[in-house]
Amino acid sequence: MYKSSFAAITLFLNSKFSSITNIYLNKLPAGFTRPSFFVQLIKGSSEDLNRNQYQNKITWQIAYYSPQDQNGNIDLMDQLGVTEQLHQALMEIMKLTAPDGTQYQILNLDAEFRDYELYCLLGLETLNTRTEPNYDLMQDIYNHYKEG
């Protein structure tokens, strides 16, 4: 579920922002390359819906790190522009599809500004169907019933 949803996010980011080639997962390395995206798992949960289905909800945090000038200042207009494009593109599609075919419904998208970076919280949901148990069926029934 987590690996598949991250793959769906990565596929989406690569298709919409092909010029930004670096996508980091859960930890930014020292001296990371800008511009880049940082994707971090915030939380995930599963809930039984009925005997055959369960629902997975996943929240990812996506941050865009814009280029810096020679003084280390970020390009705020670039950051706002890319984040706005990201937000609009996600709201237009309403679903992300992973390479394995799993579809994730976009539940919500929130943005917050902290530490001079703009973060997007992306809520995803998918429904899964449990595999039916496979039982050996009885082939022949012998009844040795005698009256009386």
Side-chain angles (χ1 to χ4, degrees), residues 47-114:
E47 180 183 346
D48 286 328
L49 298 178
N50 56 44
R51 180 176 165 247
N52 297 322
Q53 286 188 321
Y54 60 98
Q55 177 183 55
N56 292 318
K57 290 185 178 181
I58 310 154
T59 302
W60 289 95
Q61 175 177 270
I62 304 172
Y64 170 65
Y65 289 94
S66 64
Q68 292 178 321
D69 63 14
Q70 63 272 17
N71 297 326
N73 299 316
I74 63 167
D75 184 349
L76 184 59
M77 295 315 287
D78 178 62
Q79 187 178 39
L80 291 173
V82 170
T83 304
E84 187 176 331
Q85 283 179 297
L86 172 66
H87 194 275
Q88 181 147 357
L90 285 168
M91 289 289 81
E92 285 176 0
I93 61 171
M94 298 187 56
K95 279 187 187 179
L96 292 176
T97 303
D100 65 4
T102 306
Q103 291 200 344
Y104 295 92
Q105 183 76 31
I106 296 173
L107 293 178
N108 61 328
L109 185 61
D110 299 318
E112 65 181 56
F113 192 74
R114 50 187 147 100

Side-chain angles (χ1 to χ4, degrees), residues 117-143:
E117 304 296 343
L118 197 56
Y119 293 87
C120 293
L121 293 174
L122 175 65
L124 301 175
E125 172 188 76
T126 186
L127 293 176
N128 292 22
T129 304
R130 291 185 179 91
T131 55
E132 289 287 324
N134 206 4
Y135 300 108
D136 290 335
L137 300 176
M138 197 178 319
Q139 300 299 321
D140 295 317
I141 297 176
Y142 298 101
N143 186 352

